[in-house]
Amino acid sequence: MSLFIRKPLNLLQEEAREQGTGSLKRVLGPASLIALGVGTIVGAGLFSITGLVAANNAGPAIVISFVIASVCCCFAGLCYAEFASMIPIAGSAYTYSYATMGELTAWIIGWDLVLEYSVAATTVSISWSRYLITFLNDIGISMSPELTACPWEGGLMNLPALLIVIAISLLLVRGTKESAVFNFIVVFLKTGVIVTFIILGWKYINTDNYTPFLPENTGTMGEFGISGVLRGAAIIFFAYLGFDVVSTTAQETKNPRRNMPIGILGSLAVCLLLYLLFAHVMTGVTNYTSFQGKEGIAPVAVAISKMGIPDANGVIRPVYPWLNKAIILAILIGYCSVIMGTLMAQSRIFMSMSRDGMLPPFFSRLHKRYRTPAHNSLLLMLVVGLLAAFVPAGVAGEMCSIGTLFAFILVCAGIIIMRRSLPDAPRAFKVPWVPVVPILGIVSCFIVALSLPADTWIRLVLWMLIGLDIYHAYGMKRSRLEPSPHRKGASSLVWLGLFVSVLCIITGCWHQGSAGWNSDYTLLSIALVMGFSHIVYYILQLSKIKHSCKNDK
């Protein structure tokens, strides 16, 4: 056996059928799954980055960016749906990769998802805090600036961000059913306000604002034109984070073979419709240039201020001033469901990796009363809470999209492999036109990922290096399928480590070249130190492996 040992499908299905005090409660139906997906998807991206993308990248053609991003998600969503109906067990892309591409690949994608969900929860928590301060100021309540910003932003700590993480984490400890009821209410209120915005704003659309629909490129890649639309799709991919969260709750879903595909594809379809209508109204009631500057981070407020009739001086008097407060309140509510979805997904992935022996048993223990992974929720409460309290949003917010795209690529590849290796395995749902659909998913996600800034890539590579270190030190030796300190295929891990180390140096230089060789050298320095030190380390490991092989002979 080797590091690419695959988890048998019959073992996965046996785990999925587990009942009793050692298993998760099956309480989620299709409506709850769609609500969970919509609740996680519709949130941070829609309420924050849409204005900035319109102003800086795509103009009114942001609707095309949404369509491109949704096409990538649709291809991946079909693949997720087949896996979820075939392998109805918690763990999402991690579990699917384990069954198709082996343990080492599963560890890589699992470690990638740790980054994706943790950073997403941190980013949204910080943004939630900022919207809360705005809402409180509007109703005459002020908080000390020292308690609403991290030390790098002139404060002591971001207390509201910490408190929302604590509150949501304790709710998740209490139980999935209670969390699902709360999430259903949140989604109903949030989507209600979005629909209200669309309906009320539709009659104030000025078609002149759609000209030019696709502004000419400024001469810089990513600033309008075709490259701007692609860059916009890469950035707003953050707005689609969440539909894959549904697949992490398979062991808590009633009749998962039928309900998982409904939850995944249903939530994606609902959100795509909302996004297209939302973007159409947003860029129709005012020119896309209105979203430039710091106001662009609150595009809804800007759009609402333009919903009115000009007075004698040409100044627009908003017809719905009350809607501003309602929208901010909806954003606060919506962010709660996003934080819940990401923290819930992260805790379930930890549980799956621990059950497979690649993380300590601590992460797979369930609460005796609530039968939830309470230890994971409390640990995430501590880690994500501290990050939200003391880390700037800019540092936390750039890693979500690339982690998700990486997961999507592996899931699409997994469908092709699974169709060949296990063609007769029972599937309640099948991806049509295999391998065309999975290949289109891989290509489209990779193209979108290439549109992301270089510093995003370098941070991903650095994270992967740390993950390989942990797997080499712990997971490889304690795998449930093959617990042994000396495993066949260890040289594959070493060669992969060398490749990632070299990639770390390359991405560091790429980033520095993009930012300018006279700009800050911090990321380049980190990349060079990590890259070269790991090259030395893995060369030493390779020599040990060769020496061990000679002794065995």
Side-chain angles (χ1 to χ4, degrees), residues 311-356:
D311 59 16
N313 298 320
V315 178
I316 295 178
R317 301 297 180 184
V319 178
Y320 310 112
W322 54 269
L323 196 55
N324 257 326
K325 292 185 179 64
I327 286 293
I328 293 177
L329 183 60
I331 291 172
L332 290 172
I333 295 173
Y335 277 6
C336 290
S337 60
V338 177
I339 297 168
M340 179 192 302
T342 50
L343 289 177
M344 182 178 179
Q346 177 65 89
S347 65
R348 272 55 179 179
I349 290 171
F350 270 152
M351 185 184 73
S352 294
M353 297 175 77
S354 176
R355 284 182 170 180
D356 291 331

Side-chain angles (χ1 to χ4, degrees), residues 401-418:
S401 292
I402 196 168
T404 306
L405 287 164
F406 187 33
F408 287 1
I409 288 171
L410 287 183
V411 168
C412 290
I415 286 294
I416 299 174
I417 296 172
M418 186 66 88

Side-chain angles (χ1 to χ4, degrees), residues 466-487:
I466 296 173
L468 291 177
D469 291 343
I470 295 175
Y471 178 70
H472 185 265
Y474 185 92
M476 182 181 73
K477 302 173 183 177
R478 294 171 174 81
S479 168
R480 177 183 172 188
L481 296 183
E482 192 180 23
S484 172
H486 304 290
R487 296 179 61 182

Side-chain angles (χ1 to χ4, degrees), residues 48-69:
S48 58
I49 60 176
T50 49
L52 295 177
V53 170
N56 302 322
N57 304 103
I62 185 177
V63 292
I64 300 179
S65 297
F66 271 120
V67 171
I68 293 173

Side-chain angles (χ1 to χ4, degrees), residues 159-178:
L159 182 61
L162 173 62
L163 293 178
I164 189 61
V165 172
I166 292 175
I168 296 298
S169 298
L170 293 178
L171 183 60
L172 287 173
V173 169
R174 179 66 178 81
T176 305
K177 184 175 182 179
E178 290 77 5

